[in-house]
Amino acid sequence: MRIKRRQRAEEKAMQVPVKIVIPLILCILPVLFIVVIGPGVMDIVKLFGQI
């Protein structure tokens, strides 16, 4: 009984990273790109707007 329960817990623990990757890609990475790349894009737009 203990061995089966431990094996089930280990299987669930191995599935957690796979389930975390999807929200990470869909929610966190786009916001990170906006924060990191956004100011540079705004400066480039201002630069080309003056020409």
Side-chain angles (χ1 to χ4, degrees), residues 23-42:
L24 178 72
I25 291 171
L26 294 177
C27 299
I28 297 172
L29 288 179
V31 172
L32 184 64
F33 284 136
I34 290 170
V35 168
V36 171
I37 299 174
V41 171
M42 291 172 57

Side-chain angles (χ1 to χ4, degrees), residues 10-51:
E10 287 178 357
E11 288 174 3
K12 285 185 178 183
M14 292 179 70
Q15 291 175 353
V16 169
V18 176
K19 292 181 179 179
I20 290 176
V21 167
I22 294 169
L24 178 72
I25 291 171
L26 294 177
C27 299
I28 297 172
L29 288 179
V31 172
L32 184 64
F33 284 136
I34 290 170
V35 168
V36 171
I37 299 174
V41 171
M42 291 172 57
D43 289 341
I44 291 171
V45 168
K46 283 182 185 178
L47 179 69
F48 285 118
Q50 293 177 356
I51 294 176

